[in-house]
Amino acid sequence: MKLKLKMKVNWQLVYLFFMLMPYLKPYNITLIPSVDAIFKVWKIVATFFIIFRFLKKRHILHVESVYLFIFCAVWGVSLIINEGPIVEYGNNILSILGMVLLFEVGYKNSIFKKNITCLIYNIGAVYQVLNLITVIQGYPFGAYGIRLNDNANFLGGDNYSAFILIALAGIMFFYDDCYVGKIRRRTWCFSLLGLASLVIPFAFTGIVSYTLLLLMVVFHKYPIVKKFFKWKYIFAVCLIVILAVSYFHLDEFLVKMLNSMNKAGFNGRSLIWPMTITAIMKKPILGYGGLTEEQAGTWLIAGANHAHNFILQYPFSVGVIGTFFIILYFVKILKGSMQLSNQSCRVLLMCLSAFMICSFFDFYIGLIYFYLLLEMIWIHKME
């Protein structure tokens, strides 16, 4: 008696994996040169293929994507003019553009929306497990004995990995809420693994932001949660605190509070933020693009290479022009999404709120997961 096993392959899911995965390359890959080289080639091939499909179908870019493309163009010009780290940030720009075109090609297709959300769910589950393993063992895979900065793990340093974990956990919760109809126990287990990888090294800001995300998901059907944790309110509070720290020495109180928890105060942000504001005034039109190690060493912003705050980072990097277009992108993406507050998209909006809270003390302008989260909101609000 012969048994015939039939396995149904979801070819669109396979296609999306090969198109999206090189843009979501974890930090750990960069420590393995041979694998990193494969990912670099993979990204170039995937990007050209996505562009080919986009042109073949004769798509017209949505205005949201146009704003983001202009922002990227301004960013690129600023990098060239200021002789910044063009290779590093150019790679970020390529990832953003390629991913946006991928979403442009499939935004009308409900199967595409479900499959790409499912794919990110599975990537997130794997990343959370691998990240925790490297946190426990104390070093990334293949990096034993290598001296690394910022408690590096599978996804990167403590602060950097927090952003990725928040975005992935939010999309995983969204998949369950939207396509399964309930938050499954496995999703809670994976999300708690992500939290553990922040608790062990005590990444304070990441712990607070990630925990708030979990609490918002638990109580996401309560009206007070939907009203209180809105990105508009968070943005306003962050702006007030920046000014209070920069000019009214609020940091002195916060330093005492953080010291009581064995945290190293504000880690220089009380210097970085006012110096960033001063630097922005010197180059208000196009900003600085990004700082190389040598440029950061000139003490432009207290020795840091970025502003450590999402509100300050954009005008610092791309000036008034780039910031104008990225604001238009944000507004256009989020416009109408609030009307879906009683639908599954609310989970993504809560995830964005948690991401912004984490971005108050640190922010990486080229982090692909931020734009991935925004694109997920965009395609699902159009249903």
Side-chain angles (χ1 to χ4, degrees):
M1 181 178 178
K2 295 183 179 180
L3 294 176
K4 293 184 179 180
L5 298 177
K6 293 184 178 179
M7 184 174 66
K8 188 176 180 180
V9 178
N10 187 332
W11 289 110
Q12 188 185 63
L13 201 60
V14 174
Y15 161 75
L16 289 174
F17 171 81
F18 280 104
M19 294 300 104
L20 185 63
M21 189 61 200
Y23 301 128
L24 305 182
K25 179 181 72 175
Y27 165 77
N28 204 147
I29 295 297
T30 64
L31 303 176
I32 309 173
S34 57
V35 181
D36 189 40
I38 293 173
F39 265 80
K40 288 178 179 177
V41 175
W42 186 357
K43 179 186 288 188
I44 294 172
V45 173
T47 302
F48 275 108
F49 188 78
I50 292 169
I51 293 173
F52 171 76
R53 284 204 65 194
F54 179 81
L55 295 176
K56 184 179 179 181
K57 292 193 174 185
R58 298 181 179 179
H59 283 286
I60 298 176
L61 285 174
H62 287 81
V63 66
E64 295 90 344
S65 300
V66 172
Y67 292 147
L68 188 59
F69 275 43
I70 296 174
F71 156 75
C72 288
V74 174
W75 189 12
V77 170
S78 182
L79 284 167
I80 294 171
I81 292 175
N82 292 287
E83 299 181 350
I86 297 174
V87 175
E88 177 186 352
Y89 287 120
N91 193 37
N92 295 147
I93 292 172
L94 179 65
S95 296
I96 293 170
L97 297 181
M99 185 194 68
V100 168
L101 286 179
L102 178 64
F103 276 82
E104 280 279 356
V105 171
Y107 81 97
K108 285 184 177 179
N109 191 326
S110 59
I111 298 176
F112 166 87
K113 296 176 184 179
K114 181 177 181 179
N115 282 337
I116 199 164
T117 311
C118 177
L119 174 63
I120 297 169
Y121 181 102
N122 289 298
I123 292 174
V126 173
Y127 278 13
Q128 285 169 329
V129 172
L130 295 179
N131 196 64
L132 180 58
I133 292 173
T134 56
V135 168
I136 293 173
Q137 70 182 13
Y139 55 89
F141 299 110
Y144 179 75
I146 300 176
R147 187 174 180 178
L148 302 170
N149 296 324
D150 199 20
N151 297 322
N153 46 55
F154 179 75
L155 294 175
D158 295 344
N159 295 331
Y160 190 85
S161 62
F163 292 103
I164 301 174
L165 291 169
I166 289 171
L168 290 175
I171 294 173
M172 292 171 71
F173 283 128
F174 167 72
Y175 176 79
D176 276 9
D177 193 37
C178 183
Y179 295 107
V180 179
K182 63 178 182 178
I183 309 295
R184 295 172 293 180
R185 278 180 287 186
R186 72 175 73 172
T187 306
W188 281 114
C189 289
F190 285 126
S191 66
L192 292 176
L193 293 180
L195 178 61
S197 66
L198 298 173
V199 171
I200 292 173
F202 197 61
F204 181 73
T205 306
I207 293 171
V208 172
S209 305
Y210 198 100
T211 302
L212 282 174
L213 171 63
L214 299 183
L215 291 174
M216 284 190 283
V217 172
V218 171
F219 300 107
H220 70 280
K221 293 184 180 180
Y222 288 78
I224 189 171
V225 175
K226 292 183 286 187
K227 290 179 180 179
F228 186 74
F229 288 102
K230 285 187 177 181
W231 64 272
K232 293 179 181 179
Y233 300 154
I234 295 170
F235 183 91
V237 171
C238 289
L239 184 59
I240 293 170
V241 174
I242 289 171
L243 295 175
V245 169
S246 299
Y247 299 107
F248 300 101
H249 308 293
L250 176 66
D251 57 296
E252 293 178 3
F253 167 76
L254 295 176
V255 164
K256 292 179 181 178
M257 182 182 71
L258 293 174
N259 284 340
S260 68
M261 296 179 286
N262 295 319
K263 292 301 289 179
F266 246 46
N267 290 329
R269 285 163 180 80
S270 56
L271 286 176
I272 295 172
W273 291 350
M275 292 183 74
T276 299
I277 294 172
T278 301
I280 291 170
M281 298 300 181
K282 293 178 180 178
K283 289 189 176 182
I285 306 301
L286 292 175
Y288 295 82
L291 300 181
T292 63
E293 291 184 8
E294 293 78 11
Q295 290 169 334
T298 62
W299 209 250
L300 178 66
I301 50 174
N305 62 2
H306 64 288
H308 288 79
N309 179 276
F310 73 98
I311 295 176
L312 297 177
Q313 188 61 54
Y314 281 104
F316 177 78
S317 295
V318 295
V320 174
I321 297 176
T323 302
F324 173 73
F325 283 103
I326 200 65
I327 289 175
L328 289 178
Y329 170 70
F330 292 157
V331 171
K332 194 66 178 176
I333 285 286
L334 295 172
K335 185 179 180 181
S337 62
M338 296 304 173
Q339 280 71 29
L340 297 176
S341 58
N342 61 340
Q343 301 296 326
S344 294
C345 197
R346 66 193 168 207
V347 175
L348 292 176
L349 294 172
M350 291 176 180
C351 179
L352 179 62
S353 297
F355 195 100
M356 291 179 69
I357 292 171
C358 195
S359 300
F360 175 62
F361 286 103
D362 208 356
F363 184 70
Y364 302 89
I365 190 172
L367 183 61
I368 191 70
Y369 290 88
F370 180 50
Y371 305 96
L372 173 65
L373 181 57
L374 290 168
E375 290 294 309
M376 289 292 292
I377 293 173
W378 175 61
I379 64 170
H380 285 93
K381 79 169 187 176
M382 297 176 70
E383 291 181 343

